[in-house]
Amino acid sequence: ITGDIMRPEVIEFLNQKAPKGLFRFEIGVQSTNDATNELVMRRQNFEKLCRTVTLVRDGEKIDQHLDLIAGLPEEDYNSFRQTFNDVFALRPEELQLGFLKMLRGTGVRLRAKEHDYIYMDYAPYEVLGNNVLSFDDIVKIKQVEDVLEKYWNDHRTNNTIEYLIENEFESPFDFFQLFGSHWEERGWSRIGHQLEDLFKRLNEFLNHYELKSKNLVKDIMKIDYYLNH
């Protein structure tokens, strides 16, 4: 659905009448940077989109999947960090972090030289960098994607992450970035993971930081662990 044009009365009707689990909404946010959205000829009223997502979330009938795209024109690393934090604040059930594909015939590919795009010359033509986002920045964002999928979208550690991002780390993006970089440095992205492994690796990562409430965090992790059984 297009989140910012969904009428509130339609959502209210679904919240009252729809069986729980019948619908799943996918909303392509892509970016909250207005200048970036205009460059890809995409108009979006983020305030209205937030209203839609919040109404749906509070109704507890429909799961939501929100999409972000890294590599859009004039969206640098800091701007993408802001986009991520803006959207994560809505607490969607799933937050997908994708990367721009320079598909043939699209406006962004036709104007690729204007933004110094570098991209794969074979399908899926994924972006490797541009004038404001380096290849190293893209690699870092991919590290965020890796742990975001395992720890948020799979809902194994909801209470722990909620506490960490509200009390121990500067923002949701900063938590996932620091954890994702640690994950990559340890080589964990190249091996499989059981449930117990995920908790052990999160615990090892957190042991590298001076948490304000280390014992409390460990207690919350225990609760999340047992809730998965």
Side-chain angles (χ1 to χ4, degrees), residues 149-182:
E149 285 293 325
K150 292 178 175 67
Y151 285 87
W152 180 258
N153 290 344
D154 284 349
H155 299 289
R156 288 157 163 164
T157 53
N158 283 15
N159 296 301
T160 306
I161 290 175
E162 193 69 46
Y163 183 84
L164 290 170
I165 63 178
E166 290 293 337
N167 300 279
E168 298 285 356
F169 289 84
E170 186 174 345
S171 78
F173 184 85
D174 293 302
F175 164 72
F176 287 110
Q177 182 66 87
L178 288 166
F179 189 20
S181 298
H182 181 85

PDB file of all heavy atoms in Angstrom, residues 149-182:
ATOM      1  N   GLU A 149      18.053  -8.308  10.370  1.00  0.00           N
ATOM      2  CA  GLU A 149      17.238  -9.465   9.987  1.00  0.00           C
ATOM      3  C   GLU A 149      17.190 -10.498  11.102  1.00  0.00           C
ATOM      4  O   GLU A 149      16.131 -11.036  11.419  1.00  0.00           O
ATOM      5  CB  GLU A 149      17.807 -10.109   8.714  1.00  0.00           C
ATOM      6  CG  GLU A 149      17.522  -9.352   7.442  1.00  0.00           C
ATOM      7  CD  GLU A 149      16.040  -9.338   7.085  1.00  0.00           C
ATOM      8  OE1 GLU A 149      15.351 -10.340   7.340  1.00  0.00           O
ATOM      9  OE2 GLU A 149      15.571  -8.301   6.583  1.00  0.00           O
ATOM     10  N   LYS A 150      18.323 -10.784  11.703  1.00  0.00           N
ATOM     11  CA  LYS A 150      18.402 -11.863  12.686  1.00  0.00           C
ATOM     12  C   LYS A 150      17.803 -11.474  14.037  1.00  0.00           C
ATOM     13  O   LYS A 150      17.243 -12.321  14.734  1.00  0.00           O
ATOM     14  CB  LYS A 150      19.864 -12.276  12.885  1.00  0.00           C
ATOM     15  CG  LYS A 150      20.494 -12.958  11.674  1.00  0.00           C
ATOM     16  CD  LYS A 150      21.940 -13.295  11.940  1.00  0.00           C
ATOM     17  CE  LYS A 150      22.544 -14.094  10.791  1.00  0.00           C
ATOM     18  NZ  LYS A 150      22.656 -13.310   9.554  1.00  0.00           N
ATOM     19  N   TYR A 151      17.935 -10.216  14.410  1.00  0.00           N
ATOM     20  CA  TYR A 151      17.578  -9.848  15.778  1.00  0.00           C
ATOM     21  C   TYR A 151      16.293  -9.040  15.896  1.00  0.00           C
ATOM     22  O   TYR A 151      15.665  -9.053  16.948  1.00  0.00           O
ATOM     23  CB  TYR A 151      18.731  -9.090  16.434  1.00  0.00           C
ATOM     24  CG  TYR A 151      19.868 -10.002  16.827  1.00  0.00           C
ATOM     25  CD1 TYR A 151      20.878 -10.318  15.926  1.00  0.00           C
ATOM     26  CD2 TYR A 151      19.925 -10.575  18.087  1.00  0.00           C
ATOM     27  CE1 TYR A 151      21.916 -11.173  16.276  1.00  0.00           C
ATOM     28  CE2 TYR A 151      20.954 -11.425  18.454  1.00  0.00           C
ATOM     29  CZ  TYR A 151      21.942 -11.723  17.545  1.00  0.00           C
ATOM     30  OH  TYR A 151      22.947 -12.580  17.894  1.00  0.00           O
ATOM     31  N   TRP A 152      15.898  -8.309  14.849  1.00  0.00           N
ATOM     32  CA  TRP A 152      14.641  -7.568  14.936  1.00  0.00           C
ATOM     33  C   TRP A 152      13.540  -8.241  14.121  1.00  0.00           C
ATOM     34  O   TRP A 152      12.472  -8.569  14.631  1.00  0.00           O
ATOM     35  CB  TRP A 152      14.799  -6.118  14.494  1.00  0.00           C
ATOM     36  CG  TRP A 152      13.507  -5.360  14.581  1.00  0.00           C
ATOM     37  CD1 TRP A 152      12.649  -5.033  13.559  1.00  0.00           C
ATOM     38  CD2 TRP A 152      12.866  -4.893  15.778  1.00  0.00           C
ATOM     39  NE1 TRP A 152      11.531  -4.391  14.036  1.00  0.00           N
ATOM     40  CE2 TRP A 152      11.643  -4.286  15.405  1.00  0.00           C
ATOM     41  CE3 TRP A 152      13.216  -4.928  17.133  1.00  0.00           C
ATOM     42  CZ2 TRP A 152      10.769  -3.725  16.335  1.00  0.00           C
ATOM     43  CZ3 TRP A 152      12.334  -4.368  18.058  1.00  0.00           C
ATOM     44  CH2 TRP A 152      11.135  -3.770  17.643  1.00  0.00           C
ATOM     45  N   ASN A 153      13.790  -8.488  12.865  1.00  0.00           N
ATOM     46  CA  ASN A 153      12.739  -9.034  12.005  1.00  0.00           C
ATOM     47  C   ASN A 153      12.314 -10.435  12.415  1.00  0.00           C
ATOM     48  O   ASN A 153      11.171 -10.829  12.169  1.00  0.00           O
ATOM     49  CB  ASN A 153      13.184  -9.014  10.535  1.00  0.00           C
ATOM     50  CG  ASN A 153      13.256  -7.599   9.975  1.00  0.00           C
ATOM     51  OD1 ASN A 153      12.714  -6.664  10.548  1.00  0.00           O
ATOM     52  ND2 ASN A 153      13.946  -7.438   8.861  1.00  0.00           N
ATOM     53  N   ASP A 154      13.216 -11.189  13.035  1.00  0.00           N
ATOM     54  CA  ASP A 154      12.852 -12.526  13.507  1.00  0.00           C
ATOM     55  C   ASP A 154      12.262 -12.511  14.921  1.00  0.00           C
ATOM     56  O   ASP A 154      11.845 -13.554  15.434  1.00  0.00           O
ATOM     57  CB  ASP A 154      14.070 -13.453  13.471  1.00  0.00           C
ATOM     58  CG  ASP A 154      14.396 -13.915  12.062  1.00  0.00           C
ATOM     59  OD1 ASP A 154      13.562 -13.693  11.170  1.00  0.00           O
ATOM     60  OD2 ASP A 154      15.479 -14.491  11.850  1.00  0.00           O
ATOM     61  N   HIS A 155      12.262 -11.354  15.566  1.00  0.00           N
ATOM     62  CA  HIS A 155      11.594 -11.152  16.866  1.00  0.00           C
ATOM     63  C   HIS A 155      12.053 -12.131  17.949  1.00  0.00           C
ATOM     64  O   HIS A 155      11.257 -12.652  18.715  1.00  0.00           O
ATOM     65  CB  HIS A 155      10.073 -11.210  16.701  1.00  0.00           C
ATOM     66  CG  HIS A 155       9.555 -10.143  15.795  1.00  0.00           C
ATOM     67  ND1 HIS A 155       9.524  -8.817  16.153  1.00  0.00           N
ATOM     68  CD2 HIS A 155       9.095 -10.192  14.518  1.00  0.00           C
ATOM     69  CE1 HIS A 155       9.045  -8.103  15.148  1.00  0.00           C
ATOM     70  NE2 HIS A 155       8.786  -8.911  14.143  1.00  0.00           N
ATOM     71  N   ARG A 156      13.349 -12.349  18.009  1.00  0.00           N
ATOM     72  CA  ARG A 156      13.877 -13.227  19.045  1.00  0.00           C
ATOM     73  C   ARG A 156      14.324 -12.455  20.278  1.00  0.00           C
ATOM     74  O   ARG A 156      14.445 -13.021  21.356  1.00  0.00           O
ATOM     75  CB  ARG A 156      15.063 -14.012  18.479  1.00  0.00           C
ATOM     76  CG  ARG A 156      14.634 -15.076  17.479  1.00  0.00           C
ATOM     77  CD  ARG A 156      15.767 -15.429  16.568  1.00  0.00           C
ATOM     78  NE  ARG A 156      15.535 -16.696  15.870  1.00  0.00           N
ATOM     79  CZ  ARG A 156      16.210 -17.072  14.800  1.00  0.00           C
ATOM     80  NH1 ARG A 156      17.149 -16.294  14.311  1.00  0.00           N
ATOM     81  NH2 ARG A 156      15.957 -18.227  14.228  1.00  0.00           N
ATOM     82  N   THR A 157      14.611 -11.165  20.115  1.00  0.00           N
ATOM     83  CA  THR A 157      15.174 -10.389  21.221  1.00  0.00           C
ATOM     84  C   THR A 157      14.496  -9.030  21.352  1.00  0.00           C
ATOM     85  O   THR A 157      15.146  -8.025  21.655  1.00  0.00           O
ATOM     86  CB  THR A 157      16.689 -10.181  20.997  1.00  0.00           C
ATOM     87  OG1 THR A 157      16.890  -9.617  19.688  1.00  0.00           O
ATOM     88  CG2 THR A 157      17.451 -11.492  21.085  1.00  0.00           C
ATOM     89  N   ASN A 158      13.195  -8.985  21.135  1.00  0.00           N
ATOM     90  CA  ASN A 158      12.483  -7.700  21.120  1.00  0.00           C
ATOM     91  C   ASN A 158      12.693  -6.877  22.387  1.00  0.00           C
ATOM     92  O   ASN A 158      12.977  -5.677  22.330  1.00  0.00           O
ATOM     93  CB  ASN A 158      10.984  -7.937  20.924  1.00  0.00           C
ATOM     94  CG  ASN A 158      10.639  -8.249  19.487  1.00  0.00           C
ATOM     95  OD1 ASN A 158      11.513  -8.557  18.686  1.00  0.00           O
ATOM     96  ND2 ASN A 158       9.363  -8.175  19.161  1.00  0.00           N
ATOM     97  N   ASN A 159      12.532  -7.505  23.545  1.00  0.00           N
ATOM     98  CA  ASN A 159      12.620  -6.757  24.804  1.00  0.00           C
ATOM     99  C   ASN A 159      14.039  -6.249  25.050  1.00  0.00           C
ATOM    100  O   ASN A 159      14.229  -5.120  25.525  1.00  0.00           O
ATOM    101  CB  ASN A 159      12.173  -7.642  25.968  1.00  0.00           C
ATOM    102  CG  ASN A 159      10.720  -8.042  25.860  1.00  0.00           C
ATOM    103  OD1 ASN A 159       9.832  -7.213  25.826  1.00  0.00           O
ATOM    104  ND2 ASN A 159      10.469  -9.348  25.760  1.00  0.00           N
ATOM    105  N   THR A 160      15.010  -7.076  24.717  1.00  0.00           N
ATOM    106  CA  THR A 160      16.409  -6.677  24.902  1.00  0.00           C
ATOM    107  C   THR A 160      16.749  -5.491  24.017  1.00  0.00           C
ATOM    108  O   THR A 160      17.332  -4.493  24.477  1.00  0.00           O
ATOM    109  CB  THR A 160      17.350  -7.852  24.588  1.00  0.00           C
ATOM    110  OG1 THR A 160      16.967  -8.981  25.359  1.00  0.00           O
ATOM    111  CG2 THR A 160      18.786  -7.488  24.892  1.00  0.00           C
ATOM    112  N   ILE A 161      16.411  -5.586  22.744  1.00  0.00           N
ATOM    113  CA  ILE A 161      16.738  -4.507  21.809  1.00  0.00           C
ATOM    114  C   ILE A 161      15.995  -3.231  22.200  1.00  0.00           C
ATOM    115  O   ILE A 161      16.565  -2.128  22.156  1.00  0.00           O
ATOM    116  CB  ILE A 161      16.413  -4.926  20.366  1.00  0.00           C
ATOM    117  CG1 ILE A 161      17.405  -6.002  19.917  1.00  0.00           C
ATOM    118  CG2 ILE A 161      16.477  -3.725  19.422  1.00  0.00           C
ATOM    119  CD1 ILE A 161      17.116  -6.581  18.556  1.00  0.00           C
ATOM    120  N   GLU A 162      14.748  -3.374  22.586  1.00  0.00           N
ATOM    121  CA  GLU A 162      13.976  -2.195  23.001  1.00  0.00           C
ATOM    122  C   GLU A 162      14.684  -1.477  24.153  1.00  0.00           C
ATOM    123  O   GLU A 162      14.818  -0.249  24.154  1.00  0.00           O
ATOM    124  CB  GLU A 162      12.571  -2.630  23.409  1.00  0.00           C
ATOM    125  CG  GLU A 162      11.586  -1.490  23.563  1.00  0.00           C
ATOM    126  CD  GLU A 162      11.224  -0.834  22.255  1.00  0.00           C
ATOM    127  OE1 GLU A 162      10.942  -1.537  21.280  1.00  0.00           O
ATOM    128  OE2 GLU A 162      11.232   0.413  22.215  1.00  0.00           O
ATOM    129  N   TYR A 163      15.140  -2.247  25.119  1.00  0.00           N
ATOM    130  CA  TYR A 163      15.828  -1.622  26.257  1.00  0.00           C
ATOM    131  C   TYR A 163      17.146  -0.993  25.825  1.00  0.00           C
ATOM    132  O   TYR A 163      17.471   0.137  26.224  1.00  0.00           O
ATOM    133  CB  TYR A 163      16.082  -2.649  27.360  1.00  0.00           C
ATOM    134  CG  TYR A 163      16.731  -2.016  28.571  1.00  0.00           C
ATOM    135  CD1 TYR A 163      15.954  -1.386  29.547  1.00  0.00           C
ATOM    136  CD2 TYR A 163      18.116  -1.973  28.713  1.00  0.00           C
ATOM    137  CE1 TYR A 163      16.537  -0.757  30.627  1.00  0.00           C
ATOM    138  CE2 TYR A 163      18.714  -1.345  29.791  1.00  0.00           C
ATOM    139  CZ  TYR A 163      17.921  -0.742  30.747  1.00  0.00           C
ATOM    140  OH  TYR A 163      18.510  -0.098  31.811  1.00  0.00           O
ATOM    141  N   LEU A 164      17.915  -1.692  25.002  1.00  0.00           N
ATOM    142  CA  LEU A 164      19.236  -1.197  24.596  1.00  0.00           C
ATOM    143  C   LEU A 164      19.144   0.111  23.821  1.00  0.00           C
ATOM    144  O   LEU A 164      19.899   1.052  24.077  1.00  0.00           O
ATOM    145  CB  LEU A 164      19.959  -2.252  23.759  1.00  0.00           C
ATOM    146  CG  LEU A 164      20.431  -3.506  24.505  1.00  0.00           C
ATOM    147  CD1 LEU A 164      20.914  -4.553  23.514  1.00  0.00           C
ATOM    148  CD2 LEU A 164      21.547  -3.157  25.492  1.00  0.00           C
ATOM    149  N   ILE A 165      18.210   0.182  22.873  1.00  0.00           N
ATOM    150  CA  ILE A 165      18.154   1.382  22.036  1.00  0.00           C
ATOM    151  C   ILE A 165      17.540   2.567  22.772  1.00  0.00           C
ATOM    152  O   ILE A 165      17.784   3.722  22.416  1.00  0.00           O
ATOM    153  CB  ILE A 165      17.417   1.124  20.709  1.00  0.00           C
ATOM    154  CG1 ILE A 165      15.960   0.748  20.957  1.00  0.00           C
ATOM    155  CG2 ILE A 165      18.128   0.038  19.909  1.00  0.00           C
ATOM    156  CD1 ILE A 165      15.165   0.524  19.678  1.00  0.00           C
ATOM    157  N   GLU A 166      16.768   2.285  23.816  1.00  0.00           N
ATOM    158  CA  GLU A 166      16.176   3.376  24.581  1.00  0.00           C
ATOM    159  C   GLU A 166      17.091   3.857  25.702  1.00  0.00           C
ATOM    160  O   GLU A 166      16.992   5.005  26.137  1.00  0.00           O
ATOM    161  CB  GLU A 166      14.834   2.931  25.179  1.00  0.00           C
ATOM    162  CG  GLU A 166      13.731   2.730  24.150  1.00  0.00           C
ATOM    163  CD  GLU A 166      13.296   4.031  23.496  1.00  0.00           C
ATOM    164  OE1 GLU A 166      13.497   5.108  24.108  1.00  0.00           O
ATOM    165  OE2 GLU A 166      12.788   3.970  22.369  1.00  0.00           O
ATOM    166  N   ASN A 167      17.997   2.989  26.172  1.00  0.00           N
ATOM    167  CA  ASN A 167      18.753   3.323  27.382  1.00  0.00           C
ATOM    168  C   ASN A 167      20.268   3.240  27.265  1.00  0.00           C
ATOM    169  O   ASN A 167      20.976   3.849  28.062  1.00  0.00           O
ATOM    170  CB  ASN A 167      18.311   2.395  28.526  1.00  0.00           C
ATOM    171  CG  ASN A 167      16.855   2.521  28.859  1.00  0.00           C
ATOM    172  OD1 ASN A 167      16.446   3.432  29.565  1.00  0.00           O
ATOM    173  ND2 ASN A 167      16.052   1.599  28.350  1.00  0.00           N
ATOM    174  N   GLU A 168      20.788   2.493  26.300  1.00  0.00           N
ATOM    175  CA  GLU A 168      22.226   2.237  26.291  1.00  0.00           C
ATOM    176  C   GLU A 168      22.952   2.770  25.046  1.00  0.00           C
ATOM    177  O   GLU A 168      24.145   3.034  25.099  1.00  0.00           O
ATOM    178  CB  GLU A 168      22.493   0.731  26.407  1.00  0.00           C
ATOM    179  CG  GLU A 168      21.974   0.102  27.706  1.00  0.00           C
ATOM    180  CD  GLU A 168      22.830   0.434  28.911  1.00  0.00           C
ATOM    181  OE1 GLU A 168      23.877   1.092  28.744  1.00  0.00           O
ATOM    182  OE2 GLU A 168      22.456   0.023  30.042  1.00  0.00           O
ATOM    183  N   PHE A 169      22.246   2.909  23.924  1.00  0.00           N
ATOM    184  CA  PHE A 169      22.887   3.348  22.689  1.00  0.00           C
ATOM    185  C   PHE A 169      22.242   4.635  22.205  1.00  0.00           C
ATOM    186  O   PHE A 169      21.093   4.929  22.519  1.00  0.00           O
ATOM    187  CB  PHE A 169      22.799   2.254  21.616  1.00  0.00           C
ATOM    188  CG  PHE A 169      23.685   1.068  21.915  1.00  0.00           C
ATOM    189  CD1 PHE A 169      23.240   0.058  22.761  1.00  0.00           C
ATOM    190  CD2 PHE A 169      24.957   0.972  21.387  1.00  0.00           C
ATOM    191  CE1 PHE A 169      24.041  -1.035  23.052  1.00  0.00           C
ATOM    192  CE2 PHE A 169      25.773  -0.113  21.665  1.00  0.00           C
ATOM    193  CZ  PHE A 169      25.320  -1.112  22.511  1.00  0.00           C
ATOM    194  N   GLU A 170      23.005   5.386  21.423  1.00  0.00           N
ATOM    195  CA  GLU A 170      22.541   6.710  21.002  1.00  0.00           C
ATOM    196  C   GLU A 170      21.279   6.635  20.161  1.00  0.00           C
ATOM    197  O   GLU A 170      20.394   7.489  20.253  1.00  0.00           O
ATOM    198  CB  GLU A 170      23.652   7.431  20.222  1.00  0.00           C
ATOM    199  CG  GLU A 170      23.318   8.861  19.879  1.00  0.00           C
ATOM    200  CD  GLU A 170      24.490   9.597  19.244  1.00  0.00           C
ATOM    201  OE1 GLU A 170      25.630   9.114  19.323  1.00  0.00           O
ATOM    202  OE2 GLU A 170      24.249  10.672  18.660  1.00  0.00           O
ATOM    203  N   SER A 171      21.167   5.619  19.308  1.00  0.00           N
ATOM    204  CA  SER A 171      19.991   5.472  18.451  1.00  0.00           C
ATOM    205  C   SER A 171      19.895   4.026  17.989  1.00  0.00           C
ATOM    206  O   SER A 171      20.863   3.257  18.108  1.00  0.00           O
ATOM    207  CB  SER A 171      20.094   6.398  17.228  1.00  0.00           C
ATOM    208  OG  SER A 171      20.976   5.848  16.260  1.00  0.00           O
ATOM    209  N   PRO A 172      18.740   3.617  17.437  1.00  0.00           N
ATOM    210  CA  PRO A 172      18.628   2.259  16.901  1.00  0.00           C
ATOM    211  C   PRO A 172      19.695   1.960  15.850  1.00  0.00           C
ATOM    212  O   PRO A 172      20.328   0.896  15.876  1.00  0.00           O
ATOM    213  CB  PRO A 172      17.221   2.230  16.292  1.00  0.00           C
ATOM    214  CG  PRO A 172      16.452   3.237  17.077  1.00  0.00           C
ATOM    215  CD  PRO A 172      17.438   4.330  17.391  1.00  0.00           C
ATOM    216  N   PHE A 173      19.915   2.898  14.932  1.00  0.00           N
ATOM    217  CA  PHE A 173      20.906   2.664  13.875  1.00  0.00           C
ATOM    218  C   PHE A 173      22.287   2.441  14.466  1.00  0.00           C
ATOM    219  O   PHE A 173      23.026   1.552  14.016  1.00  0.00           O
ATOM    220  CB  PHE A 173      20.939   3.843  12.898  1.00  0.00           C
ATOM    221  CG  PHE A 173      21.864   3.623  11.728  1.00  0.00           C
ATOM    222  CD1 PHE A 173      21.424   2.949  10.598  1.00  0.00           C
ATOM    223  CD2 PHE A 173      23.179   4.078  11.757  1.00  0.00           C
ATOM    224  CE1 PHE A 173      22.271   2.730   9.517  1.00  0.00           C
ATOM    225  CE2 PHE A 173      24.033   3.860  10.691  1.00  0.00           C
ATOM    226  CZ  PHE A 173      23.580   3.188   9.567  1.00  0.00           C
ATOM    227  N   ASP A 174      22.652   3.224  15.468  1.00  0.00           N
ATOM    228  CA  ASP A 174      23.984   3.091  16.062  1.00  0.00           C
ATOM    229  C   ASP A 174      24.158   1.724  16.713  1.00  0.00           C
ATOM    230  O   ASP A 174      25.231   1.122  16.611  1.00  0.00           O
ATOM    231  CB  ASP A 174      24.219   4.202  17.085  1.00  0.00           C
ATOM    232  CG  ASP A 174      24.283   5.566  16.430  1.00  0.00           C
ATOM    233  OD1 ASP A 174      25.129   5.761  15.555  1.00  0.00           O
ATOM    234  OD2 ASP A 174      23.456   6.430  16.771  1.00  0.00           O
ATOM    235  N   PHE A 175      23.110   1.226  17.377  1.00  0.00           N
ATOM    236  CA  PHE A 175      23.196  -0.117  17.956  1.00  0.00           C
ATOM    237  C   PHE A 175      23.425  -1.159  16.874  1.00  0.00           C
ATOM    238  O   PHE A 175      24.359  -1.979  16.963  1.00  0.00           O
ATOM    239  CB  PHE A 175      21.927  -0.460  18.739  1.00  0.00           C
ATOM    240  CG  PHE A 175      21.795  -1.936  19.020  1.00  0.00           C
ATOM    241  CD1 PHE A 175      22.616  -2.560  19.949  1.00  0.00           C
ATOM    242  CD2 PHE A 175      20.868  -2.708  18.323  1.00  0.00           C
ATOM    243  CE1 PHE A 175      22.526  -3.924  20.197  1.00  0.00           C
ATOM    244  CE2 PHE A 175      20.763  -4.073  18.562  1.00  0.00           C
ATOM    245  CZ  PHE A 175      21.597  -4.682  19.502  1.00  0.00           C
ATOM    246  N   PHE A 176      22.583  -1.148  15.836  1.00  0.00           N
ATOM    247  CA  PHE A 176      22.706  -2.163  14.793  1.00  0.00           C
ATOM    248  C   PHE A 176      24.020  -2.016  14.022  1.00  0.00           C
ATOM    249  O   PHE A 176      24.598  -3.019  13.590  1.00  0.00           O
ATOM    250  CB  PHE A 176      21.512  -2.096  13.836  1.00  0.00           C
ATOM    251  CG  PHE A 176      20.237  -2.626  14.420  1.00  0.00           C
ATOM    252  CD1 PHE A 176      19.186  -1.779  14.735  1.00  0.00           C
ATOM    253  CD2 PHE A 176      20.084  -3.987  14.667  1.00  0.00           C
ATOM    254  CE1 PHE A 176      18.010  -2.266  15.280  1.00  0.00           C
ATOM    255  CE2 PHE A 176      18.917  -4.492  15.216  1.00  0.00           C
ATOM    256  CZ  PHE A 176      17.873  -3.635  15.519  1.00  0.00           C
ATOM    257  N   GLN A 177      24.499  -0.782  13.854  1.00  0.00           N
ATOM    258  CA  GLN A 177      25.773  -0.602  13.149  1.00  0.00           C
ATOM    259  C   GLN A 177      26.951  -1.135  13.951  1.00  0.00           C
ATOM    260  O   GLN A 177      27.806  -1.864  13.428  1.00  0.00           O
ATOM    261  CB  GLN A 177      25.999   0.878  12.823  1.00  0.00           C
ATOM    262  CG  GLN A 177      27.281   1.149  12.038  1.00  0.00           C
ATOM    263  CD  GLN A 177      27.263   0.548  10.647  1.00  0.00           C
ATOM    264  OE1 GLN A 177      26.775   1.180   9.714  1.00  0.00           O
ATOM    265  NE2 GLN A 177      27.777  -0.663  10.474  1.00  0.00           N
ATOM    266  N   LEU A 178      27.005  -0.799  15.217  1.00  0.00           N
ATOM    267  CA  LEU A 178      28.099  -1.286  16.057  1.00  0.00           C
ATOM    268  C   LEU A 178      28.067  -2.807  16.178  1.00  0.00           C
ATOM    269  O   LEU A 178      29.105  -3.477  16.079  1.00  0.00           O
ATOM    270  CB  LEU A 178      28.011  -0.640  17.446  1.00  0.00           C
ATOM    271  CG  LEU A 178      28.372   0.845  17.508  1.00  0.00           C
ATOM    272  CD1 LEU A 178      27.925   1.444  18.833  1.00  0.00           C
ATOM    273  CD2 LEU A 178      29.870   1.048  17.317  1.00  0.00           C
ATOM    274  N   PHE A 179      26.876  -3.351  16.357  1.00  0.00           N
ATOM    275  CA  PHE A 179      26.741  -4.801  16.470  1.00  0.00           C
ATOM    276  C   PHE A 179      27.064  -5.476  15.134  1.00  0.00           C
ATOM    277  O   PHE A 179      27.760  -6.494  15.086  1.00  0.00           O
ATOM    278  CB  PHE A 179      25.326  -5.151  16.936  1.00  0.00           C
ATOM    279  CG  PHE A 179      25.112  -6.591  17.287  1.00  0.00           C
ATOM    280  CD1 PHE A 179      26.180  -7.445  17.592  1.00  0.00           C
ATOM    281  CD2 PHE A 179      23.817  -7.110  17.334  1.00  0.00           C
ATOM    282  CE1 PHE A 179      25.958  -8.780  17.925  1.00  0.00           C
ATOM    283  CE2 PHE A 179      23.595  -8.440  17.670  1.00  0.00           C
ATOM    284  CZ  PHE A 179      24.673  -9.277  17.953  1.00  0.00           C
ATOM    285  N   GLY A 180      26.582  -4.885  14.045  1.00  0.00           N
ATOM    286  CA  GLY A 180      26.836  -5.453  12.723  1.00  0.00           C
ATOM    287  C   GLY A 180      28.311  -5.460  12.367  1.00  0.00           C
ATOM    288  O   GLY A 180      28.821  -6.428  11.782  1.00  0.00           O
ATOM    289  N   SER A 181      29.022  -4.397  12.721  1.00  0.00           N
ATOM    290  CA  SER A 181      30.458  -4.337  12.458  1.00  0.00           C
ATOM    291  C   SER A 181      31.203  -5.379  13.288  1.00  0.00           C
ATOM    292  O   SER A 181      32.119  -6.049  12.794  1.00  0.00           O
ATOM    293  CB  SER A 181      30.991  -2.932  12.753  1.00  0.00           C
ATOM    294  OG  SER A 181      30.383  -1.978  11.900  1.00  0.00           O
ATOM    295  N   HIS A 182      30.806  -5.526  14.554  1.00  0.00           N
ATOM    296  CA  HIS A 182      31.401  -6.543  15.420  1.00  0.00           C
ATOM    297  C   HIS A 182      31.122  -7.944  14.859  1.00  0.00           C
ATOM    298  O   HIS A 182      32.010  -8.811  14.844  1.00  0.00           O
ATOM    299  CB  HIS A 182      30.814  -6.410  16.827  1.00  0.00           C
ATOM    300  CG  HIS A 182      31.361  -7.382  17.820  1.00  0.00           C
ATOM    301  ND1 HIS A 182      32.525  -7.169  18.522  1.00  0.00           N
ATOM    302  CD2 HIS A 182      30.902  -8.604  18.229  1.00  0.00           C
ATOM    303  CE1 HIS A 182      32.761  -8.198  19.320  1.00  0.00           C
ATOM    304  NE2 HIS A 182      31.787  -9.076  19.165  1.00  0.00           N
TER     305      HIS A 182
END
